[in-house]
Amino acid sequence: MRTLFFTQAVDDALAQAMVNDPRIILFGEDVSLLRRDLLVRFGPRRVRGTPISESAFLGAGVAAAMAGLRPVVEMYMVDFLGVCMDALLNHAAKVEAFSGGKWTGPVVVRAPCGGGYGDGGQHEQSLWGWLAHIPGLTVLVPSTPADAGGLMLAALQHDGPVIFVEHKLLSETWLEFLGSGGRRTVQYDVPAEGAKGAVPQSWEPIPIGKAVLRRAGDDVTIVSVGVGVHRAVEAAQALETEGISAGVLDLRTVSPLDKAAVREAVAQTGHLLVVDEDYEGFGLSGELSAVVLEAGISCKYARVCTQTTIPYARHLEDQILPNRDRICAGVRQLMQ
Amino acid sequence: MTPELWSLYTLMLKSRLLEEAIAKLWHDGLISGEMHLGTGEEAIIAGVVSQLREGDAMGLDHRGTAALLMRGVDPVLILRELLGYPDGLCGGMGGHMHLFSKEYLAASSGIVGAEGPTAAGFALSAQYSRSSGIAVAFFGEGAMNQGMLMESLNLASAWNLPVLFVCKDDGWAITTQSEKVSGGDLNERARGLGIPAVKVDGCDVSEVWEAAHSAIEHARSGKGPTFLHARCVHFEGHFLGFQLLRLARNPLREMPEIAIPLTYSFLRPGGAALRERVAGLKIVLAAVLSTLRDPRRDSANDPVRRARKPLLSDPVRLQELEDQIEQKMSHVLASALAEEPS
């Protein structure tokens, strides 16, 4: 085992795949600088910067994938998918269905997401529920370096479009690039377990659609993804002192959802709390309630999500993003 | 008409001092996240904004502080917004990339190119209500590769909208040199869509003012949009803490973190043929070297300094003016830093 930072792990898994598969190419804005380590290893034919033309280069990534390449297309932020959503919504997601199952576009889209560093509501959204809403898209949200690398490898082997959502608070490079800018005068609440961790010497793919239980608990099941998983574990530790045993299930994949794991965990505890940094309405949290209802599981349900546009001001932002205190309050309310 | 150099210099110096104060607050950790300053574009902003009047609108990019200040927005409100106070310009909700002023019809966006549709829409409203109002879009040359901006140029041309498209060209799209990712000539693109294009030295406020004056008159009199292309430099790069500039300014501290993994990756087995790897290395080095040779290091490109030059003929008045502005801006800073309201 070795220890890597989150983005190091993603890039390391990507590099391993690039050695073995010459079809993998990489492009996006500023990729020449952001992925410079891959550029000097694999050269400018495979690693290239793009103009600020998301509609063109993401759309081109989809078609290049249809033609046999394995493109990894980088968005600066998941929010900017708003500029080029057509390429995903009406093209990448539809190729397999429209071709009668005969053709797919196996593009991997890397999309940094998430808040907690004061960049405001146009640069800190999560949006995985919005993406997972569309049939035909696979949406991955890793929460640790080991999962990030393993899921990246799985994404590159998957025969269809995958959105690989990387939380900026876990990413040493994004947080440095956008959050601190070399300053030592700012601090952000970075979950240590998510930012750096043990990873395998050689990467193996982690199956898409498989959740993992981060913490066992008898009284309540907290289900989350990304940074929310770490906030939930912190809350579970705090609740332990109050005599509440909370389990934490990390979905890792938003679409396809590991419904069996959710059902199994919630059937045991009879209490489900969803922690979702994405917007509350019409998203993952509501979907999870449908999963248990459809299975006929009787449980008490609550959710801690982002309900509004994310404020710029740090203190306001900390209140509206799911945090330990809100999660603890949610659990206590459920257990009443 | 000729530009009034004293008042233009006043606007530019105020803006420079405000943004220097912002930089200090950011470095002190009182402002979170990214910070895109407009230091280096003051001549462009002043040359255009000084000619706007009531009913005119602005579509701003992620670098809109200078334009709002020069348009008349209270700098205390801007600073308090950046500090995240509830009595800031946008209640602490927007931050520097999302500054809005309904009073001055000014809307910002952190999405590159979004100023195009915004200005077109403001202009449509003015045209429809026969108000003689115009709209300005401020954007960088990187945005010229964004579909929605190109579409807006066409829309403004087809509908004869009163828009002034102002391209603030510093040659860099974040860390990418724009010439390497852009085809053709930007002015020819605008002309190809039927929009007159004017190229000016964006560090020369008189030149910008004169070109903007004609373009604004053109738009007000119902003759449609103009594309104004102004070269400039951004002294702080894309944003504060810009990695390439940090590398140039403090190589001993910054270089090892970049060079060590780079070398390791270059030499790691399983990579491309040596020729390809060298080509990759050259791209990285070219970005670093062009930062070292960057025109922003040349003080001749400082628009504030250049605007000051002709005023040196009246040193007494200049000294008085500068003292007055400095005093005013230090009051602004003090008010902005006053206790957070409960």
Side-chain angles (χ1 to χ4, degrees), chain A residues 81 88 92-94 96 105-111 127-142 151 154-165 206-210 252-257:
Chain A
L81 279 177
L88 293 181
K94 302 288 190 282
E96 190 174 356
V107 63
V108 176
V109 181
R110 282 181 80 168
L127 302 182
W128 46 67
W130 185 55
L131 294 162
H133 181 62
I134 302 160
L137 298 183
T138 295
V139 182
L140 309 179
V141 187
L151 283 169
L156 290 164
Q157 294 173 6
H158 185 70
D159 199 21
V162 179
I163 322 298
F164 188 90
V165 186
I206 289 174
I208 289 172
K210 281 275 169 227
R252 303 198 286 192
T253 301
V254 175
S255 177
L257 204 50

Side-chain angles (χ1 to χ4, degrees), chain A residues 30 37 41 53 119 176 312, chain B residues 34 82 110 145 176 246 265 269:
Chain A
D30 286 343
D37 294 342
R41 187 167 174 202
S53 308
D119 232 357
E176 208 272 349
Y312 156 72
Chain B
E34 301 169 72
L82 272 38
N145 293 321
T176 299
R246 266 158 46 201
S265 195

Side-chain angles (χ1 to χ4, degrees), chain A residues 12 30 33 37 40-41 43-45 51-54 117 119 122 176 178 181-185 188 312-315, chain B residues 26-27 29 31-34 81-82 84 92-93 98 110 145-146 174-176 241 246 253 265 269 271-272 276-277:
Chain A
D12 193 67
D30 286 343
L33 185 84
D37 294 342
V40 299
R41 187 167 174 202
R45 286 188 74 237
I52 304 178
S53 308
E54 288 92 352
Y117 65 98
D119 232 357
Q122 220 175 36
E176 208 272 349
L178 304 167
R183 287 178 291 176
R184 288 166 187 168
T185 48
Y188 304 110
Y312 156 72
R314 285 285 300 118
H315 64 287
Chain B
W26 183 88
H27 281 292
I31 294 174
S32 196
E34 301 169 72
E81 177 63 25
L82 272 38
M93 286 293 293
H98 318 114
N145 293 321
Q146 185 61 275
I174 314 182
T175 68
T176 299
R246 266 158 46 201
R253 181 179 143 178
S265 195
E276 276 293 304
R277 283 182 287 142

